[in-house]
Amino acid sequence: MNFRPLLAVLAFSLPPTLACSPLHSQGDATAVHHRQGEGYKLDIIDNSSTFSHALAINASGQLIGVREVADESGNIFSQECFFVDGEQVTKLPLLSGFTNIEVAALSDTGLVVGYASRPIGHPEGSLTGIVWDSKTGQVTQLLPVKGDTASHAQDISADGQRISGYSNGSLPARLRPCVWSWNSESKSWDPKILSVIQDYNPYTMTSNVKISPDGKRIATCITVKEYDNGLFDSSLFMWEWSEGEWARRLVSDEQMVVRDMNNQGEIAATYSGKTGRDPCFVNSEGKLTLIGTFAGDVSGEAHGINASGTVVGFSDDPSGPEGGPQAFVWKSGKSRLLKLPEETVYSSAFGINDQGQIAGLMDVLVGDAPAGESADKPTEDKAADAEEPAVKTLAFRWTPTATENK
């Protein structure tokens, strides 16, 4: 994920009347702050001077996320992935020989999956799936199926025994959904390609390959037809574990980005319609329900779903200098704004567990100059900056204290 563009999307011109937010600190490199609100409590992970984002949450409230870090000059930014257990925040290490990692999901046992990358053209490949064990600190490479050259892990079952993603190769081009199963005898992850209609499924990379918490269902979009002009038509399929095999079935003719799935086969997804991105809910039979955005908004995304079918995501304003996303919670056809401190300017929700805890990000205003600004900057430039308050993005873990919020 590229953080600077994402920060630019979230950081619109902000109302100058809002006071500097007390939700962040200026000192510790990593701090976890606690806030109590009406019907909820909030843990705020303050570990970046600019941008921190909680991506997923497991049953015990552990988080994974990404943050921006600046170099000594304060001008060059890079990203780091982190893991949160209670108030302890741990930086994830790189896989040996690789220059970057991205995280996607975590199990209830504290395993984190994603991918590691290095410059394109490397003789041993540039992309590989990874598993990081929060208990041992060890990073393990997820090998693609035999004959392929790259892999990408995108989800993991709650018990940490199965991982979903894709494996790809070239000559001829192929990209297929894949499941890795833990082999307790050989102490290794065994890859298996899921049955497909065609070997090249380019939209699978974007659609995401998601697995249910119990590890018995996998969902993604695969190619159903290739046209002469090089375009591909994709549909949503599900593979269900039965009698030692993965049985494939069509769920919906529609193409969408799959974000999360529960044990009932219900899916939180983002559907690209004629008007833009729409958050949606797909039941196990394939019925697609669009989740309406808030008044005045034009797009949104659904990112998480739990066992009760509660979906979280964000609703967004039109592009432009004003407005921004707001986190929503949807259940049984009704959406509500996620309750957050009044100092919050914008917000997004990215994961929810069965206890109703939510992981996400929130934008707050800060009084200090943006990172990297020189103290001897011309007075007229400082005056211009003063008219546009700086924004800081903080990761959060939201816990309900009222039954209706779960």
Side-chain angles (χ1 to χ4, degrees):
M1 181 182 291
N2 189 323
F3 293 94
R4 302 310 294 173
L6 180 55
L7 183 59
V9 169
L10 294 177
F12 298 97
S13 297
L14 306 177
T17 56
L18 288 179
C20 296
S21 171
L23 296 173
H24 64 93
S25 66
Q26 304 287 334
D28 297 340
T30 298
V32 178
H33 306 292
H34 307 286
R35 290 288 296 270
Q36 193 76 36
E38 183 180 352
Y40 72 91
K41 62 180 181 179
L42 193 67
D43 302 317
I44 303 163
I45 295 87
D46 188 359
N47 60 350
S48 171
S49 61
T50 53
F51 183 92
S52 182
H53 173 190
L55 288 165
I57 187 167
N58 66 12
S60 61
Q62 294 174 328
L63 303 173
I64 55 170
V66 288
R67 68 171 186 147
E68 274 191 337
V69 292
D71 66 359
E72 293 183 357
S73 70
N75 294 313
I76 300 176
F77 289 86
S78 60
Q79 70 172 45
E80 287 182 354
C81 297
F82 62 87
F83 171 81
V84 182
D85 185 7
E87 296 196 6
Q88 183 173 348
V89 183
T90 303
K91 172 186 172 182
L92 269 67
L94 294 174
L95 179 65
S96 178
F98 288 78
T99 56
N100 179 58
I101 63 167
E102 303 275 357
V103 294
L106 77 161
S107 70
D108 290 347
T109 59
L111 295 181
V112 177
V113 298
Y115 71 85
S117 60
R118 53 191 170 192
I120 295 175
H122 193 281
E124 297 179 7
S126 60
L127 183 72
T128 183
I130 60 165
V131 185
W132 177 74
D133 190 332
S134 63
K135 296 181 176 65
T136 65
Q138 181 179 357
V139 183
T140 302
Q141 184 175 5
L142 283 175
L143 297 175
V145 297
K146 186 176 180 180
D148 283 0
T149 56
S151 61
H152 183 175
Q154 296 180 311
D155 205 359
I156 186 168
S157 60
D159 63 5
Q161 297 296 300
R162 285 177 175 160
I163 295 170
S164 60
Y166 63 82
S167 176
N168 64 293
S170 58
L171 302 175
R174 54 195 181 276
L175 191 154
R176 298 163 293 179
C178 180
V179 57
W180 289 264
S181 299
W182 177 248
N183 188 322
S184 58
E185 294 183 0
S186 62
K187 303 297 182 183
S188 63
W189 290 98
D190 296 339
K192 178 180 176 58
I193 293 296
L194 298 174
S195 64
V196 289
I197 299 169
Q198 298 190 32
D199 280 343
Y200 190 45
N201 302 273
Y203 191 71
T204 297
M205 183 186 305
T206 303
S207 174
N208 296 319
V209 185
K210 290 296 183 177
I211 192 167
S212 58
D214 62 8
K216 296 181 179 181
R217 290 179 173 86
I218 296 175
T220 190
C221 291
I222 60 172
T223 301
V224 293
K225 186 176 181 179
E226 181 180 358
Y227 297 95
D228 293 337
N229 58 6
L231 296 178
F232 296 82
D233 186 12
S234 300
S235 297
L236 177 64
F237 282 80
M238 186 176 296
W239 293 257
E240 295 172 313
W241 182 252
S242 176
E243 298 181 354
E245 297 291 337
W246 289 100
R248 187 190 76 214
R249 67 178 176 90
L250 175 67
V251 176
S252 172
D253 290 326
E254 300 295 340
Q255 176 177 290
M256 64 195 73
V257 179
V258 180
R259 302 291 189 181
D260 199 10
M261 178 170 57
N262 62 21
N263 289 337
Q264 290 74 46
E266 297 170 331
I267 294 170
T270 300
Y271 176 73
S272 294
K274 295 181 180 179
T275 59
R277 297 168 297 132
D278 290 309
C280 69
F281 166 84
V282 183
N283 71 12
S284 59
E285 300 305 316
K287 181 183 177 181
L288 186 152
T289 301
L290 294 180
I291 297 173
T293 55
F294 296 132
D297 289 355
V298 297
S299 66
E301 295 182 4
H303 278 269
I305 187 170
N306 66 9
S308 67
T310 301
V311 176
V312 296
F314 65 83
S315 174
D316 206 357
D317 290 304
S319 300
E322 296 182 357
Q326 301 290 346
F328 73 76
V329 180
W330 177 92
K331 186 175 182 179
S332 302
K334 296 182 179 180
S335 285
R336 61 178 172 84
L337 190 69
L338 179 65
K339 292 181 180 180
L340 290 167
E342 61 180 11
E343 303 98 315
T344 306
V345 183
Y346 306 122
S347 60
S348 298
F350 288 89
I352 182 171
N353 64 19
D354 291 348
Q355 289 73 49
Q357 290 182 296
I358 296 170
L361 62 81
M362 55 195 295
D363 281 6
V364 298
L365 300 182
V366 295
D368 289 349
E373 179 175 287
S374 172
D376 56 359
K377 192 173 184 179
T379 302
E380 59 271 20
D381 290 343
K382 290 182 179 179
D385 285 345
E387 298 176 1
E388 297 186 6
V391 65
K392 179 174 181 176
T393 305
L394 301 165
F396 69 76
R397 174 175 52 219
W398 187 97
T399 301
T401 57
T403 304
E404 63 270 19
N405 287 332
K406 294 184 179 180

